Amino acid sequence: MNKKLLIVGSFPSKKRQIFGGVNRSCQILLNSSITEEFEVIPFDSSQISNPPPNIFIRSLLATLRLFKLLYVIRKIRPQVSLIFCSDGASALEKGVMLLICKSFKIRTLIFPRAGNLMKQTNMSRIFKRIIKNLFNQANVFLCQGPKWEDYARKVLDIKSEKLFIIENWTATPELLRIGRERTISEKQEKIKLLYVGWLEKEKGVMELVNAINLLVEKRYDIHLRLIGDGNLRNKINKFISKNNLSNNITIQGWTKTKNLQDYYLKSDIFILPSWQEGMPNALIEAISSGLPSVTTSVGVISNYLKNNKSTILVEPNNTINLEKSIEKLINDVNLRQIISKNGILIAEKYFYAEKSINKLTAIIKKVIQNN
């Protein structure tokens, strides 16, 4: 009989539409070979809304989830637990879950996915001390890349033997096929730009729409499609109206995976100007599909993508730098071809779904064996 694997992540009911990197990763996991190796028990810990509810509601929901976790553990008795976590309150809640699992002698793997967690622990000694104590309870700390590994070892004092690098597994065969079949030529009319993510300040979307406005003023024939939603949607709509950009910027909202693949296929350049990230799934999906990209050198992005070779790296929160970089890609078809080709190679090497999931499976088996 297969060992029981509890996965704490984003598994919303069909009535709730949840989007984001962890949700996509969890979807892929449930449809992967890991289900052949383990009896997977999904445990949903996603927020009920974006923006999140007030602190009282969040605390109440977190408390209910902890009691639900206790019930699931007592009923199902998993041997091992994989716990995804974000930053802030999510990291604290998942840390408590580590303690609960440990009290039942369940082996645990913690997988932080929000680059902002590094910033938070550096800004607050108290928060750092709490996260350090909680995360050291895990048997394994999974890292999205070398910068996460360095952070876990030097900031959280987690022993090297507990650290394993697992790259995000969102380079699917479907996206890689799009990438291999992509052709980039000089004969193009309107250049189609694509952004995928939350419409929030920290994602750099205001710098992006301002950069588009500057390029339109220079008479570039471009169109930016924003896939996603968030607190800045109304502000962006007002910006579009004020600057007469209705033919140049469209807010699409969130869309299903199949439709998103179609947008990757039909776009020319992908842009992700976030202020902080781990290793964003949307960026991996874009380079897998052969989209030349402009992104910021935050999180572990620069561990994998190199400037002017597999992407164009820009400073976060810098509209002019972003505008110049987009302009550079628009005008240099040869550079777009180089970045597209190298991006696909990087996606195949590091982020191919089954490759990363097979690596994860081997680590989980090792954790169980060491019990």
Side-chain angles (χ1 to χ4, degrees):
M1 183 178 294
N2 288 344
K3 298 291 186 181
K4 296 175 182 177
L5 168 63
L6 175 70
I7 302 180
V8 179
S10 181
F11 302 100
S13 65
K14 292 181 180 180
K15 295 180 180 180
R16 293 173 56 220
Q17 284 194 322
I18 300 294
F19 300 94
V22 172
N23 181 257
R24 181 68 181 132
S25 294
C26 289
Q27 286 178 355
I28 293 173
L29 267 185
L30 288 185
N31 291 289
S32 74
S33 59
I34 202 167
T35 58
E36 299 170 8
E37 300 290 340
F38 306 101
E39 180 185 340
V40 174
I41 301 104
F43 185 94
D44 182 47
S45 64
S46 55
Q47 287 293 343
I48 62 171
S49 65
N50 186 72
N54 62 52
I55 188 64
F56 174 76
I57 298 296
R58 290 192 70 182
S59 300
L60 177 61
L61 293 173
T63 302
L64 291 174
R65 280 193 294 268
L66 293 177
F67 278 108
K68 183 180 178 181
L69 180 68
L70 281 167
Y71 172 78
V72 170
I73 288 174
R74 291 176 66 89
K75 181 180 179 181
I76 299 176
R77 297 287 178 174
Q79 284 78 29
V80 62
S81 177
L82 168 62
I83 301 176
F84 290 91
C85 88
S86 184
D87 52 13
S90 170
L92 295 173
E93 179 186 345
K94 304 307 169 55
V96 175
M97 288 183 174
L98 288 174
L99 292 175
I100 292 173
C101 289
K102 185 176 182 179
S103 69
F104 283 89
K105 301 187 183 330
I106 299 169
R107 310 292 284 181
T108 54
L109 302 89
I110 186 74
F111 200 177
R113 300 291 291 261
N116 193 43
L117 182 64
M118 299 185 196
K119 180 180 178 182
Q120 289 174 339
T121 51
N122 286 328
M123 291 178 62
S124 170
R125 290 184 179 180
I126 295 174
F127 185 71
K128 173 184 172 182
R129 189 178 300 116
I130 294 171
I131 293 299
K132 177 180 173 181
N133 290 334
L134 290 173
F135 283 16
N136 266 282
Q137 304 303 313
N139 298 101
V140 165
F141 185 103
L142 297 175
C143 312
Q144 287 183 298
K147 285 185 180 178
W148 271 104
E149 185 180 38
D150 194 55
Y151 162 78
R153 187 175 59 253
K154 293 181 179 179
V155 178
L156 301 182
D157 292 333
I158 296 176
K159 295 179 180 178
S160 296
E161 56 265 29
K162 286 187 174 185
L163 303 177
F164 294 87
I165 292 178
I166 293 287
E167 287 85 5
N168 289 11
W169 46 77
T170 43
T172 62
E174 295 80 10
L175 288 170
L176 289 168
R177 183 165 54 251
I178 291 173
R180 296 187 196 102
E181 295 174 357
R182 183 180 296 276
T183 57
I184 298 174
S185 62
E186 292 189 25
K187 294 182 179 180
Q188 284 183 272
E189 296 178 357
K190 189 184 289 285
I191 296 292
K192 302 180 188 69
L193 310 174
L194 182 67
Y195 165 90
V196 178
W198 290 103
L199 304 184
E200 304 289 347
K201 180 177 68 174
E202 295 78 9
K203 290 293 186 178
V205 287
M206 290 313 300
E207 293 91 79
L208 176 53
V209 295
N210 274 288
I212 297 304
N213 188 38
L214 292 173
L215 290 167
V216 170
E217 289 177 352
K218 291 182 178 181
R219 306 293 183 182
Y220 281 99
D221 190 11
I222 57 177
H223 179 267
L224 168 67
R225 188 175 301 276
L226 300 165
I227 305 288
D229 209 338
N231 289 317
L232 291 183
R233 182 169 188 148
N234 289 337
K235 184 175 181 179
I236 295 170
N237 275 324
K238 290 178 181 178
F239 182 89
I240 293 170
S241 178
K242 178 181 177 181
N243 294 281
N244 299 314
L245 294 171
S246 58
N247 292 325
N248 305 101
I249 300 176
T250 300
I251 299 179
Q252 187 69 37
W254 291 114
T255 185
K256 294 181 180 179
T257 300
K258 186 177 181 180
N259 295 333
L260 182 56
Q261 289 180 1
D262 194 48
Y263 287 122
Y264 285 131
L265 171 65
K266 294 179 179 179
S267 299
D268 301 305
I269 295 172
F270 180 80
I271 309 164
L272 189 68
S274 299
W275 297 0
Q276 65 247 338
E277 287 284 355
M279 184 63 201
N281 282 355
L283 178 59
I284 295 170
E285 291 173 351
I287 65 171
S288 301
S289 69
L291 267 182
S293 61
V294 178
T295 189
T296 44
S297 53
V298 296
V300 298
I301 291 174
S302 60
N303 286 145
Y304 297 100
L305 301 180
K306 303 305 176 186
N307 191 36
N308 290 322
K309 292 184 178 180
S310 46
T311 191
I312 291 185
L313 292 173
V314 299
E315 296 176 357
N317 200 12
N318 189 324
T319 298
I320 299 302
N321 190 203
L322 182 61
E323 178 228 340
K324 296 295 183 185
S325 297
I326 297 171
E327 185 176 26
K328 180 179 180 180
L329 262 190
I330 290 172
N331 291 327
D332 195 335
V333 176
N334 183 57
L335 180 60
R336 268 192 272 157
Q337 292 170 341
I338 291 170
I339 289 177
S340 173
K341 180 180 178 180
N342 289 334
I344 295 168
L345 294 175
I346 294 295
E348 289 178 327
K349 182 177 181 180
Y350 294 106
F351 306 110
Y352 183 58
E354 277 303 310
K355 182 178 180 181
S356 291
I357 291 172
N358 287 340
K359 187 177 177 182
L360 174 63
T361 299
I363 294 170
I364 295 172
K365 285 183 175 180
K366 185 177 179 180
V367 168
I368 294 174
Q369 290 170 359
N370 291 337
N371 193 359

